[in-house]
Amino acid sequence: MRIRLAETADVEAIADLEAESFPADSWPAGYLREGVEGLLHGTVLHVAVDDDGVIVGHAITSIVFEIAELQRISVTPALRRRGVAGELLAAVRDEATRQGAERLLLEVRETNTGALAFYERAGFVEIDRRPRYYRDGTTAIILQMEL
Ligand SMILES: CC(C)(COP(=O)(O)OP(=O)(O)OC[C@H]1O[C@@H](n2cnc3c(N)ncnc32)[C@H](O)[C@@H]1OP(=O)(O)O)[C@@H](O)C(=O)NCCC(=O)NCCS
């Protein structure tokens, strides 16, 4: 398993992961391609690649001055609970720090207990809640980690 920055050839595989992990609001392939190619200001995409070269996870981060925001992190269901997301997050933190960010923020549905457990274990702390933030009425929890 290794973590690297995404390339244009990875876009289709990332789009498949998006559809699998975020069926309600997945990023379309065209938007992902713009991100990979550096056309979305501050957006960085990382992928986790297994020993056969298959993309099994991805993370999308936007880094603007001192604030980095983790937009997405996902791992293909069959490979969860093996530390892949932890490795992706470490790469995100390294890149955000390298670019001068001081804080890593994210928002997560309060119903996403698996992700909340992952973020808590990783050291994020809750700083805010936004009731009915999502279109379906779910509350968003805002989490932060100092870099
Ligand atoms: C959240 C997600 C990225 C975690 O990926 P992962 O590779 O399974 O996470 P890791 O193996 O690195 O987990 C590290 C630790 O976090 C905690 N954790 C991770 N997933 C958990 C879950 N579903 N339930 C409880 N704790 C969890 C555990 O403490 C775990 O350590 P352990 O397995 O030794 O107990 C993955 O479940 C996923 O892709 N979910 C769907 C997409 C999503 O909701 N993303 C977040 C919102 S953007």
Side-chain angles (χ1 to χ4, degrees):
M1 178 76 52
R2 70 190 183 98
I3 311 296
R4 61 166 171 77
L5 290 172
E7 298 162 1
T8 303
D10 303 326
V11 164
E12 212 170 298
I14 300 171
D16 288 347
L17 276 176
E18 279 279 320
E20 190 174 42
S21 290
F22 309 106
D25 58 353
S26 51
W27 281 34
Y31 201 48
L32 291 167
R33 180 170 293 107
E34 288 183 14
V36 168
E37 294 178 352
L39 301 173
L40 301 177
H41 180 63
T43 299
V44 178
L45 283 89
H46 286 90
V47 287
V49 185
D50 74 8
D51 296 342
D52 298 320
V54 177
I55 290 174
V56 297
H58 79 299
I60 307 179
T61 316
S62 85
I63 307 169
V64 181
F65 300 111
E66 74 277 13
I67 307 284
E69 198 166 334
L70 184 62
Q71 307 277 357
R72 289 282 207 253
I73 187 164
S74 92
V75 173
T76 196
L79 293 179
R80 289 180 188 166
R81 303 301 293 267
R82 297 183 192 192
V84 177
E87 288 187 44
L88 276 164
L89 181 61
V92 165
R93 291 181 59 172
D94 286 350
E95 179 63 22
T97 303
R98 196 185 65 77
Q99 291 196 29
E102 294 167 5
R103 297 189 285 150
L104 181 59
L105 292 165
L106 63 85
E107 62 209 21
V108 57
R109 288 170 181 268
E110 69 171 352
T111 49
N112 193 347
T113 51
L116 279 164
F118 168 73
Y119 293 136
E120 188 179 336
R121 166 85 179 268
F124 282 90
V125 293
E126 180 176 332
I127 57 166
D128 200 6
R129 267 173 194 248
R130 296 190 185 142
R132 298 176 301 283
Y133 180 81
Y134 296 100
R135 247 178 300 178
D136 63 3
T138 304
T139 293
I141 299 180
I142 315 301
L143 302 176
Q144 174 181 288
M145 172 192 277
E146 303 282 345
L147 295 172

